[in-house]
Amino acid sequence: MINLLKVHGSENTFFLLDQNQLSRPLTEEELIQTAVKITDGSAGILGGADGLLVVDDGVHQNTLGRMRVINSDGSIASMCGNGLRTVSRYLGEKYDKDEFLVETAEADLQVGRAPALGNGVATYHVEISPVRFETSALPMNAAGRSELIHSNVVDLNETIKFSAIAVPNPHLIAIEEPHQILNKTKLGELGQRFNEQNPWFPDGVNVSFGRVIGQNQIFVETYERGVGFTNACGTGMAATSVIWTLLNDGKTGVNTVNNVYNPGGMVQTRVRQDDGEYKIDLIGNATFTHQIQINEEQLRKNHFEKAKIVETGEEESYQEFVKALPSYSF
Ligand SMILES: N[C@@H](CCC[C@H](N)C(=O)O)C(=O)O
């Protein structure tokens, strides 16, 4: 029998598969098919999810394991902040380690256990890096601009100022300005437009709106590439924190801890500068909601009907934590 987990970080939901349990690992093509099927709200299980997290042994020395991320539409992502917290918890508990490195598509990232954000809420910190501002890193065709930081690009939208940043997955960020009101309809329109065939983002982009609430407090909502609206996007919140730091509005800064509220809860971010390079610490819940047991043959055929599913009970503590938070929306 193979054990899968249903997990979430700020209610950004995933299935987690450790390939070490399989008699032979699934190929990338097979993993994509599994991701599309299991995350499908009607064909999958437990109402589907936003993506599939695949854990394998690390190839790089000194890493405890490797994480790969497949979005619900089958596209591959280079990074996932909320997912990495849950993978970190999985690996930390499997190997009984508190601080270690996890291999991801572009970097080996420092992760570890952190003080609980709420009663009974397992909490992990993960490093988000590398951070790049070159539009070519997203990639983005930005009318000849090599960087885009809080700028009007009339082609994208006449009034909203955008920033482009790769962490290393691609993000387009708009932080609401005084006297401006950004709304969810606009976020959805932009998210859809930049994730179908379009002249600016050949590979699509995660689009986030941020609203500064107060000193070190911000609300962020994201339309994700390969998924659509999600309750939270860890890399989106990390990327928005970097852009907010660059705005110099006196409400945040390097090395300060921000509370980042999202539709699924709250995480913390700390933007650091190491040797001139930005890195972000993303701190938040790593909740396992369900344990799933499935026969290997059924998993290989993507037949999930006979899977045995057991609730962990962790969601109750997470919901208690969320109940105590202020709630915001665009
Ligand atoms: N939800 C994730 C990001 C997942 C990948 C993203 N949709 C992409 O395609 O880049 C997060 O928490 O960072």
Side-chain angles (χ1 to χ4, degrees):
M1 289 301 257
I2 306 301
N3 295 302
L4 294 168
L5 287 170
K6 177 126 191 237
V7 302
H8 75 79
S10 282
E11 300 291 351
N12 185 195
T13 56
F14 306 94
F15 290 98
L16 188 157
L17 167 66
D18 181 348
Q19 293 227 82
N20 282 301
Q21 304 168 83
L22 302 178
S23 53
R24 69 191 148 82
L26 297 171
T27 62
E28 187 163 282
E29 198 44 50
E30 288 170 330
L31 285 168
I32 290 171
Q33 282 168 14
T34 299
V36 170
K37 179 83 187 279
I38 198 170
T39 60
D40 183 329
S42 44
I45 43 173
L46 292 167
D50 300 324
L52 175 68
L53 303 167
V54 181
V55 175
D56 292 283
D57 281 340
V59 177
H60 299 164
Q61 262 197 346
N62 302 326
T63 59
L64 214 51
R66 174 163 74 121
M67 175 186 81
R68 280 182 290 165
V69 186
I70 307 176
N71 289 318
S72 58
D73 73 349
S75 57
I76 306 277
S78 55
M79 186 44 189
C80 176
N82 291 327
L84 181 58
R85 296 199 308 277
T86 62
V87 166
S88 303
R89 173 175 168 194
Y90 174 78
L91 289 170
E93 291 179 356
K94 179 173 176 182
Y95 295 109
D96 195 20
K97 291 242 191 269
D98 280 346
E99 282 290 326
F100 49 93
L101 291 173
V102 177
E103 188 176 324
T104 64
E106 293 202 26
D108 298 340
L109 300 172
Q110 184 67 45
V111 305
R113 223 148 71 98
L117 281 183
N119 223 340
V121 177
T123 302
Y124 276 70
H125 69 84
V126 298
E127 172 189 339
I128 306 291
S129 80
V131 174
R132 298 195 198 102
F133 297 102
E134 308 88 75
T135 46
S136 56
L138 275 83
M140 175 185 185
N141 301 319
R145 296 175 190 226
S146 58
E147 285 189 2
L148 187 75
I149 305 291
H150 200 57
S151 294
N152 262 133
V153 180
V154 174
D155 259 7
L156 297 187
N157 184 281
E158 283 172 17
T159 51
I160 301 176
K161 290 192 172 147
F162 291 106
S163 303
I165 177 171
V167 297
N169 59 339
H171 290 270
L172 186 72
I173 312 284
I175 298 186
E176 199 172 60
E177 298 184 279
H179 315 301
Q180 180 186 41
I181 296 182
L182 297 178
N183 63 60
K184 188 162 172 169
T185 308
K186 178 56 70 188
L187 179 59
E189 264 171 40
L190 294 168
Q192 265 178 24
R193 189 156 141 226
F194 300 149
N195 283 288
E196 49 199 32
Q197 197 152 14
N198 72 91
W200 307 284
F201 301 98
D203 296 348
V205 69
N206 301 288
V207 186
S208 295
F209 281 177
R211 174 177 292 156
V212 178
I213 306 294
Q215 195 64 38
N216 296 109
Q217 317 277 328
I218 191 167
F219 171 65
V220 176
E221 184 152 12
T222 305
Y223 183 102
E224 281 195 40
R225 174 177 83 151
V227 193
F229 279 114
T230 55
N231 284 315
C233 173
T235 47
M237 295 184 284
T240 306
S241 301
V242 174
I243 300 302
W244 183 23
T245 303
L246 296 179
L247 295 188
N248 259 321
D249 67 354
K251 297 270 169 50
T252 190
V254 169
N255 290 330
T256 64
V257 175
N258 305 303
N259 284 349
V260 185
Y261 299 94
N262 57 65
M266 188 268 277
V267 300
Q268 294 184 317
T269 57
R270 186 191 301 109
V271 175
R272 293 186 281 127
Q273 250 186 326
D274 277 0
D275 289 334
E277 299 283 318
Y278 285 103
K279 286 184 177 171
I280 309 108
D281 297 319
L282 174 70
I283 305 143
N285 74 298
T287 302
F288 296 172
T289 57
H290 299 85
Q291 284 164 341
I292 301 152
Q293 276 203 331
I294 184 166
N295 163 295
E296 181 166 347
E297 267 327 290
Q298 286 169 358
L299 173 69
R300 289 187 172 279
K301 290 184 183 145
N302 295 319
H303 289 169
F304 301 108
E305 310 76 33
K306 292 204 179 124
K308 251 179 57 194
I309 299 173
V310 179
E311 256 186 84
T312 62
E314 291 186 20
E315 188 59 5
E316 266 175 49
S317 308
Y318 184 73
Q319 286 307 326
E320 280 302 306
F321 159 68
V322 170
K323 244 194 336 203
L325 299 174
S327 99
Y328 301 103
S329 62
F330 273 110

